[in-house]
């Protein structure tokens, strides 16, 4: 037992010494090989001769030249008599050995299906059956992969899982893959991002990348729980030329907003066109994001039909992301997402072009009520136009009617009652809005039917009045 302990201590000391090396002196490949042999001659439970270790090392050198890849650390050693530290030492040598035997001229022969990540953009998006499933960010040679999970109705994302791995080219492997609309086919791959998650039960994932027959980049996800079988194929929407910048991106487009988009919107309903235009945001040419209302929580609008959107909600009390939703527009460019946005979880929208590039981003304000006309259609209630920072509201209703004034600020409401004079005029002091997201709601009761009549415009800004198209 003491002899075995001494061997282990000497082995670890040798490994430490080798890893430190001599400062300022590069070690030759031959010298590294001799050190590996000396280290492997001393096993955990028995010794090996120089000839035995040399023969074993020659086998491993031949193997890595044939396959082009290293194996797991537990796969190395003679008869299970070598430590993880010795395996690490061997893997380092074999990697250097492979590099010394492979030059640029025969890289294509060794990895004929390799994908050169250095040519690709920093962020790529992969789709399956029309839905965005993965986002890949290069991060140098340590890519991060985000996986989108959809709800039971496949309408929006309910979870994003993150994988962090290393990029490498391995020996050619063949997989059976199926795209969204075709039968399975066999493909060959070299390039992969390897993910190893160390936990109570080790989980390994490998994301393989390849160019498909349509010229776009594809990816499959392999995991330890499903080592064989057919794999879903996830593809980008860009061709090789578009991904690598060898041609002008199709992101440029002559598409523009429909001239009457404010009238085409299925959400506008009774909101006056001028109010709908002024409460919407965008660039006014290719993007129009419609207002978000507290009672609906819907994000909608018109964008290029080839674009897509991501809507993220954030909890303002915990400062954490609540959920992420994705959507694509119909042929007219109209999209709608229901993130159930509220004052407590405001939405941020990103508009992405065909290449997945972010072309527009904004945190959207939430309006308390749908802006209505200044005069109720019954004719019994008219509110004079009022402004941000104006400290009063006034209007007309039927004579001597009781008027209820409700002020909403997103978290609390305050109310006051007033009585119209004999001419129906009313005037209420003391309330001032700091922006045009909140509003004052005026209600009266119809003198004959008892119906509650409501007018709820929001406070205008001077800019809006100057730019309004009446």
């Amino acid at each position: 037992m003491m002899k075995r302990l001494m061997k282990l201590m000497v082995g670890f000391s040798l490994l430490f010494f080798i890893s430190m090396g001599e400062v300022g002196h590069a070690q030759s490949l031959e010298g590294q090989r001799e050190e590996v042999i000396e280290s492997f001659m001393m096993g955990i439970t028995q010794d090996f001769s120089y000839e035995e270790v040399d023969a074993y090392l020659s086998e491993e050198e031949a193997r890595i030249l044939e396959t082009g890849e290293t194996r797991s650390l537990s796969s190395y050693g003679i008869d299970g008599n070598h430590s993880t530290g010795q395996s690490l030492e061997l893997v380092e040598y074999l990697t250097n050995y492979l590099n010394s035997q492979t030059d640029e001229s025969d890289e294509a022969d060794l990895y004929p299906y390799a994908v050169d990540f250095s040519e690709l953009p920093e962020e790529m998006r992969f789709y399956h059956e029309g839905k965005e499933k993965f986002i890949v960010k290069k991060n140098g040679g340590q890519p991060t992969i985000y996986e989108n999970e959809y709800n039971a109705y496949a309408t929006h994302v309910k979870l994003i899982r993150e994988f962090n791995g290393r990029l490498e080219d391995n020996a050619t492997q063949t997989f059976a893959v199926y795209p969204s609309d075709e039968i399975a086919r066999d493909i060959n791959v070299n390039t992969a991002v390897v993910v190893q998650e160390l936990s109570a039960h080790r989980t390994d994932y490998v994301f393989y990348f390849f160019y498909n027959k349509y010229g776009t980049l594809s990816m499959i996800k392999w995991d330890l729980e499903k080592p064989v079988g057919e794999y879903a194929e996830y593809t980008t929407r860009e061709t090789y030329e578009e991904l690598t910048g060898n041609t002008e991106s199709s992101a440029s487009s002559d598409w523009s907003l429909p001239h009457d988009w404010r009238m085409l919107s299925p959400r506008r309903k009774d909101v006056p066109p001028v109010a709908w235009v002024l409460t919407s945001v965008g660039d006014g040419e290719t993007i129009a994001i419609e207002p978000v209302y507290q009672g609906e929580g819907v994000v909608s609008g018109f964008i290029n039909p080839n674009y897509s959107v991501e809507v993220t909600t954030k909890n303002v009390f915990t400062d954490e992301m609540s959920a992420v939703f994705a959507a694509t527009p119909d042929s007219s460019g109209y999209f709608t997402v229901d993130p159930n946005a509220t004052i407590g979880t405001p939405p941020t929208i990103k508009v992405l072009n065909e290449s997945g590039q972010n072309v527009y981003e904004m945190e959207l304000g939430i309006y308390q009520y749908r802006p209505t006309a200044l005069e109720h259609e019954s004719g019994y209630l008219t509110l004079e136009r009022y402004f941000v920072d104006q400290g009063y509201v006034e209007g007309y209703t039927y004579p001597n009617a009781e008027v209820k004034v409700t002020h909403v600020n997103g978290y609390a409401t305050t109310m006051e009652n007033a009585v119209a004079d004999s001419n129906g005029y009313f005037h209420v002091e003391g309330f001032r809005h700091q922006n045009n997201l909140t509003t004052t709601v005026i209600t009266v009761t119809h003198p004959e039917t008892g119906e509650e009549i409501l007018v709820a415009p929001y406070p205008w800004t001077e800019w809006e009045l100057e730019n309004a198209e009446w």
Side-chain angles (χ1 to χ4, degrees), residues 262-326:
R262 62 192 183 282
M263 305 299 293
L264 295 175
S265 172
R267 285 190 55 227
R268 189 179 67 82
K269 297 181 180 178
D270 59 348
V271 178
V274 62
W276 194 253
V277 170
L278 294 176
T279 53
S280 300
V281 297
D283 61 13
E285 297 179 356
T286 59
I287 299 171
I289 310 302
E290 298 172 330
V292 182
Y293 299 123
Q294 174 81 24
E296 298 175 350
V298 174
V299 178
S300 63
F302 289 88
I303 60 174
N304 187 315
N306 297 317
Y307 288 3
S308 61
V309 298
E310 285 183 0
V311 176
T312 304
T313 55
K314 179 181 179 181
N315 190 312
V316 297
F317 302 106
T318 63
D319 201 34
E320 295 179 352
M321 182 182 68
S322 299
V324 178
F325 306 82

Side-chain angles (χ1 to χ4, degrees), residues 133-137 139 142-149 159-165 193 195-197 203 205 207 221 321:
K133 292 291 291 181
F134 291 94
I135 300 173
V136 178
K137 297 185 178 181
N139 298 331
Q142 306 291 323
T144 300
I145 301 175
Y146 302 91
E147 181 175 8
N148 296 339
E149 296 288 345
L159 171 67
I160 293 183
R161 184 172 183 183
E162 179 178 326
F163 301 90
N164 293 283
V193 172
V195 179
Q196 293 178 341
E197 298 181 349
T203 304
Y205 300 92
F207 295 87
K221 176 188 175 185
M321 182 182 68

Side-chain angles (χ1 to χ4, degrees), residues 89-116:
E89 184 182 356
L90 176 57
V91 167
E92 181 182 2
Y93 164 73
L94 291 175
T95 301
N96 293 338
Y97 176 77
L98 177 64
N99 292 336
S100 71
Q101 300 296 315
T102 305
D103 56 29
E104 294 182 0
S105 63
D106 56 9
E107 280 282 344
D109 296 331
L110 189 60
Y111 308 122
Y113 306 101
V115 173
D116 186 357

Side-chain angles (χ1 to χ4, degrees), residues 50-90:
Y50 183 97
E51 290 73 21
E52 289 176 304
V53 177
D54 181 67
Y56 168 73
L57 189 52
S58 297
E59 293 176 359
E60 292 296 341
E61 290 169 341
R63 186 196 303 274
I64 198 168
L65 286 180
E66 179 182 357
T67 65
E69 64 177 354
T70 58
R71 306 194 309 277
S72 64
L73 296 177
S74 60
S75 302
Y76 292 105
I78 303 175
D79 299 331
N81 276 290
H82 292 91
S83 66
T84 302
Q86 290 171 305
S87 296
L88 283 168
E89 184 182 356
L90 176 57

Side-chain angles (χ1 to χ4, degrees), residues 378 380 398 402 443-454:
S378 68
Y380 277 93
Y398 61 91
E402 185 175 332
T443 55
V444 299
T445 302
H446 194 288
E448 298 174 358
T449 65
E451 174 191 2
E452 189 175 65
I453 302 171
L454 179 148

Side-chain angles (χ1 to χ4, degrees), residues 442-467:
I442 312 296
T443 55
V444 299
T445 302
H446 194 288
E448 298 174 358
T449 65
E451 174 191 2
E452 189 175 65
I453 302 171
L454 179 148
V455 174
Y458 77 134
W460 298 83
T461 65
E462 292 290 348
W463 179 91
E464 289 171 329
L465 288 176
E466 291 173 0
N467 290 274

Side-chain angles (χ1 to χ4, degrees), residues 1 9 17 20 27 63 66 72 99 113 117 131 138 178 183 186 211 222 241 295-296 306 331 341 412-413:
M1 180 66 182
M9 292 178 65
F17 175 78
M20 293 296 290
Q27 186 181 34
R63 186 196 303 274
E66 179 182 357
S72 64
N99 292 336
Y113 306 101
F117 260 57
K131 295 181 176 60
K138 285 168 53 175
Y178 62 92
I183 61 175
D186 289 338
Y211 284 107
W222 180 98
E241 288 77 11
E296 298 175 350
N306 297 317
S331 58
T413 59

